[in-house]
Amino acid sequence: MADAAACVDCSQQELSNSTQRSTTTAQNPLDPSTFVPPSSSIAPSITIEFCDRCRWLHRATWVSTELFLTFPTPALKAITILPLNAEDTAGRFRVWLFLDGKPPVLVWDRKVEGSFPELKVLKQRIRDYIQPGKSLGHSDK
């Protein structure tokens, strides 16, 4: 598992050479109340933020595929996969849920939770917001 402060594959040289600037203010990487969600105009939708230097694209696309198979349109209207490549986003893997007229919900953060999401738990958390009472079959057991 990657260190909470940096990616396994991100060297300090890559971190210092990063040209992309963060648009956020000071964030505590372990305090979800300081996290700034990306924006989304479609609801309900999911945004998956991930560290591109950690090579987590495959994991992000796998999670998005599983979520679309479990919550097909209109339950979820969009899933955005957002690669990040800045110093302050090293090691990031976050799943955000956007609902009409409500603030974004942080469903999962790898650093806060201490691991990548188990799909069973992730699906249950999302279901509780967008389709309470829906059976997830084997994911509910």
Side-chain angles (χ1 to χ4, degrees):
M1 184 170 81
D3 181 322
C7 305
V8 173
D9 293 330
C10 295
S11 69
Q12 289 301 323
Q13 182 68 18
E14 288 174 321
L15 291 175
S16 63
N17 289 340
S18 178
T19 57
Q20 184 178 8
R21 288 211 162 152
S22 172
T23 59
T24 62
T25 57
Q27 292 184 28
N28 177 343
L30 297 177
D31 181 5
S33 68
T34 66
F35 297 169
V36 178
S39 63
S40 178
S41 61
I42 301 170
S45 68
I46 297 280
T47 296
I48 301 170
E49 297 179 295
F50 70 96
C51 177
D52 187 43
R53 293 177 302 194
C54 290
R55 295 174 178 83
W56 290 340
L57 174 63
H58 181 72
R59 185 180 297 267
T61 57
W62 171 65
V63 168
S64 71
T65 299
E66 288 293 323
L67 292 176
F68 260 140
L69 290 171
T70 303
F71 305 105
T73 303
L76 274 180
K77 293 184 181 173
I79 297 179
T80 303
I81 300 173
L82 184 60
L84 301 169
N85 198 356
E87 183 175 339
D88 64 336
T89 62
R92 181 175 295 179
F93 194 93
R94 291 182 184 163
V95 179
W96 294 91
L97 174 63
F98 294 86
L99 301 166
D100 281 327
K102 297 182 181 174
V105 177
L106 178 63
V107 181
W108 195 273
D109 180 84
R110 186 191 68 81
K111 292 179 182 180
V112 172
E113 303 281 348
S115 65
F116 286 100
E118 290 289 330
L119 280 178
K120 172 183 177 178
V121 175
L122 186 62
K123 289 176 182 182
Q124 289 171 344
R125 289 181 184 183
I126 292 170
R127 182 265 321 266
D128 292 346
Y129 282 99
I130 64 173
Q131 291 184 313
K134 173 187 165 106
S135 171
L136 295 176
H138 67 278
S139 290
D140 273 334
K141 296 179 183 176

